[in-house]
Amino acid sequence: MFEHGLCAGFPSPADDFLEDAVDVARLLITNPPATFLWRVDGDSMQDAGIFDRDILVVDRSLEPRDRDVVVAIVNGERSLKRLSLAGRPRLAFANRRLPDFEAPELAEIELWGVVTWNLHRLRAVRP
Amino acid sequence: MEPAPPTGGAPVTERSFALIDGNSFYCSCERVFDPKLATRPVIVLSNNDGCAIARTSEAKALGIKMGDPFFKIRDLCRRERIAVYSSNYTLYGDMSRRMGWIYESWAREVETYSIDESFLDLSNFRLSERAELARDLRATVLRWTGVPTCVGIGPTKTLAKAANAMAKKDPEARGVVDLTDPAERQARLDRFHVSDVWGVGPRSWAKMEALGIKTAGDLARMDPRQIRMKFTVVGERTLHELRGVTCIDLETVVPQRKGIAVTRSFGRPVTTLEGLIEAVASHAFRAGEKLRRHGLAATHLSVFAHSNLHNGDPHFSAGATEDLIEATSDGLALIAAASRGARRLWPPRGAKLAKAGVILDDLVRADHAPAALIGGRDREKADRMMAAVDAVNARFGRGAIISAAAGMKMPWATKFEMRSPRYTTRVDELPVARAG
């Protein structure tokens, strides 16, 4: 390694300890071919820390577990819900002010993917 | 997924290939992000919404053929509630990349044959495991990307391709047909029309019918010398491939391209020289990107333009070829040559231009390109600048930097009136999940 080339002087004592800086993309995306970003529209998942306009990291390769937040297709609508696997599988809102989510009778439900991270912007964008 | 070592009692044939491809690939990509389409027939149109280039099985059942002009099927689409999309190559390309990524981790060698087809080398897997492996791979691609696929397996690429076509048509196959076993291969090839064999064109097909060759099985049983006499070594090679003798290997390295063309129909007819120059300058710039990606340089640049030949407008068609002083991939040198070419083929004598293109040929490896003694450009400087331009365009999206000659408004740009969002590459076009 010739990080310092022919530069004179003392080598940096940090040279032996150099590592790549933390890569945010690698932190958020563990399985790239199966990972997609989604945009949130609405406030029904506030109690899960997910707000209107947030960006979600969704991994399709994960096996859904109890309490996962999932992108679910309910009768052809793309929606965001909390999955409950205790007892009969159920989908729920995460917002105390809303009534329980009742899946329509005979609804066709498909799990599109599991939400692994939420990107919530804290600093407002200037108009 | 660890590839199994070729040991143990099960026999291993010399080579084994799989061809995996997306079912109605473009339509399937649309369905991944819009679940409402799951129960509707879907078609995707070519550039400028000209004709149908992808159809789901439901759309095929309604009688829509490959290449049907959209104006002819517009009423049918409305009546049958067929979902019609302009092509969204940005999305399809990204989905294709994801699928390729998955293949790379399953097979030791992968040849990307087209945007939705890849050949995989399965030679190191046990004979008995290959079909099961293919089923697992299909399931993984479906789950991870949402795209349904079919897989054909065989000892040659020609057989893998035929097996794939069989898998598509045979619901019993559950998406996988394996032609490794000689008895099953024979039975299936005898039901497979020779015109569907990879490499058999319409002309040789007609000649084959005259010889009594109707199925792939018939061709495989012919005398190779006779086939060679009538259909050259290419026909003989196909025959051997159908017999299971590997003649065509995987091409994991993109072969050196003979020529690069960038051609577009105008969204609106072009009637001014400025408009034509803007269009061909932009095409030349795109062609330069392709050259640089492959490490190539061009020695000639041709420009062509023509009117719409079908709508009754006055006919016009012209081309002009410019020699480049030295082989180059410099976008600015290509734009200059394209503008010269556009000026040379002007005027179109009152015709409205419907399409223009730029073709680069006589390509050479950029690092082998001879330098001009007189009038050459400062190559290193140009290379550095083009590398910077490519980097910016890769980061901020194609067209972030274009030469001013290519125009800023691009009124001639391709029509994409019914294009879906670029769900996976644009942060302002992400799929939206309803919360509430």
Side-chain angles (χ1 to χ4, degrees), chain B residues 277-279 281-282 402-410 412:
Chain B
I277 289 178
E278 277 192 13
S282 164
I402 52 172
S403 164
M408 299 310 284
K409 292 189 298 290
M410 301 201 247
W412 43 267

Side-chain angles (χ1 to χ4, degrees), chain A residues 31-45 55 60-63 73 76-80 93 112, chain B residues 32-36 94-95 98-99 101-102 142-146 423-424 427-428 430-436:
Chain A
N31 189 4
T35 305
F36 297 83
L37 299 183
W38 281 69
R39 177 79 67 178
V40 178
D41 173 28
D43 296 317
S44 70
M45 297 302 286
I55 293 176
R60 287 178 58 97
S61 66
L62 298 176
E63 198 63 51
I73 310 300
E77 287 292 339
R78 304 173 294 186
S79 71
L80 198 59
F93 296 128
W112 197 93
Chain B
V32 171
F33 297 95
D34 189 351
K36 281 208 167 69
D94 182 67
M95 296 301 278
R98 289 166 182 268
M99 292 160 77
W101 226 331
I102 300 172
L142 179 63
R143 183 153 158 212
W144 291 17
T145 69
Y423 296 109
T424 57
V427 77
D428 49 352
L430 298 177
V432 175
R434 284 271 296 143

Side-chain angles (χ1 to χ4, degrees), chain A residues 31-73:
Chain A
N31 189 4
T35 305
F36 297 83
L37 299 183
W38 281 69
R39 177 79 67 178
V40 178
D41 173 28
D43 296 317
S44 70
M45 297 302 286
Q46 278 187 4
D47 299 346
I50 299 171
F51 300 88
D52 192 32
R53 306 299 299 153
D54 283 355
I55 293 176
L56 304 171
V57 180
V58 179
D59 189 336
R60 287 178 58 97
S61 66
L62 298 176
E63 198 63 51
R65 292 197 297 234
D66 187 37
R67 309 286 298 152
D68 273 345
V69 174
V70 295
V71 172
I73 310 300

Side-chain angles (χ1 to χ4, degrees), chain B residues 24-326:
Chain B
S24 314
F25 178 60
Y26 299 167
C27 301
S28 295
C29 291
E30 302 291 351
R31 278 180 166 167
V32 171
F33 297 95
D34 189 351
K36 281 208 167 69
L37 300 176
T39 52
R40 286 179 67 185
V42 182
I43 64 170
V44 171
L45 303 175
S46 61
N47 274 344
N48 279 317
D49 300 340
C51 50
I53 51 169
R55 311 151 296 153
T56 60
S57 52
E58 301 86 349
K60 288 174 196 170
L62 289 167
I64 293 184
K65 303 265 180 315
M66 195 69 175
D68 271 353
F70 181 49
F71 70 88
K72 280 197 181 153
I73 53 174
R74 195 188 298 259
D75 289 338
L76 175 69
C77 291
R78 203 171 300 144
R79 205 165 52 239
E80 300 288 347
R81 289 196 66 245
I82 298 172
V84 179
Y85 284 92
S86 305
S87 36
N88 185 348
Y89 286 110
T90 310
L91 175 66
Y92 313 148
D94 182 67
M95 296 301 278
S96 162
R97 200 169 48 86
R98 289 166 182 268
M99 292 160 77
W101 226 331
I102 300 172
Y103 306 154
E104 295 280 347
S105 62
W106 284 63
R108 63 176 183 186
E109 299 274 12
V110 176
E111 174 192 346
T112 307
Y113 182 67
S114 72
I115 188 165
D116 70 327
E117 295 172 283
S118 292
F119 284 105
L120 276 50
D121 186 344
L122 300 185
S123 307
N124 55 328
F125 292 97
R126 280 197 200 94
L127 207 62
S128 54
E129 292 174 338
R130 290 174 192 154
E132 205 43 50
L133 176 95
R135 278 185 233 286
D136 286 351
L137 177 58
R138 281 190 78 219
T140 301
V141 172
L142 179 63
R143 183 153 158 212
W144 291 17
T145 69
V147 176
T149 54
C150 279
V151 188
I153 303 172
T156 67
K157 284 167 80 175
T158 304
L159 285 170
K161 197 119 167 60
N164 177 281
M166 294 167 189
K168 284 228 148 60
K169 290 205 178 106
D170 179 2
E172 307 261 294
R174 291 187 297 134
V176 180
V177 165
D178 184 351
L179 293 182
T180 309
D181 175 61
E184 178 169 7
R185 184 195 312 160
Q186 196 58 56
R188 282 194 179 266
L189 288 183
D190 281 338
R191 285 175 278 146
F192 193 71
H193 202 276
V194 73
S195 62
D196 293 330
V197 172
W198 192 35
V200 175
R203 259 197 305 173
S204 39
W205 163 39
K207 267 163 59 182
M208 282 183 188
E209 285 222 303
L211 289 170
I213 305 170
K214 286 203 178 64
T215 68
D218 294 337
L219 177 57
R221 279 184 296 268
M222 293 295 288
D223 176 359
R225 284 164 306 180
Q226 191 193 355
I227 292 298
R228 184 188 195 136
M229 264 170 22
K230 293 246 163 55
F231 303 97
T232 74
V233 286
V234 180
E236 191 191 4
R237 195 177 63 182
T238 301
L239 180 154
H240 285 302
E241 285 254 319
L242 287 173
R243 288 181 176 184
V245 180
T246 307
C247 304
I248 310 169
D249 215 327
L250 279 198
E251 289 179 2
T252 47
V253 180
V254 179
Q256 185 160 324
R257 288 155 169 261
K258 290 226 178 60
I260 282 175
V262 176
T263 304
R264 291 279 144 72
S265 294
F266 297 126
R268 233 180 292 154
V270 163
T271 52
T272 64
L273 176 58
E274 290 69 35
L276 177 64
I277 289 178
E278 277 192 13
V280 297
S282 164
H283 296 352
F285 204 71
R286 279 281 296 126
E289 280 176 7
K290 289 191 185 181
L291 276 181
R292 294 192 291 279
R293 200 174 327 131
H294 294 285
L296 299 172
T299 51
H300 305 284
L301 179 148
S302 307
V303 170
F304 73 86
H306 59 73
S307 59
N308 186 330
L309 302 175
H310 308 293
N311 67 353
D313 279 358
H315 280 190
F316 173 80
S317 176
T321 299
E322 297 288 322
D323 290 331
L324 298 160
I325 294 169
E326 59 181 12

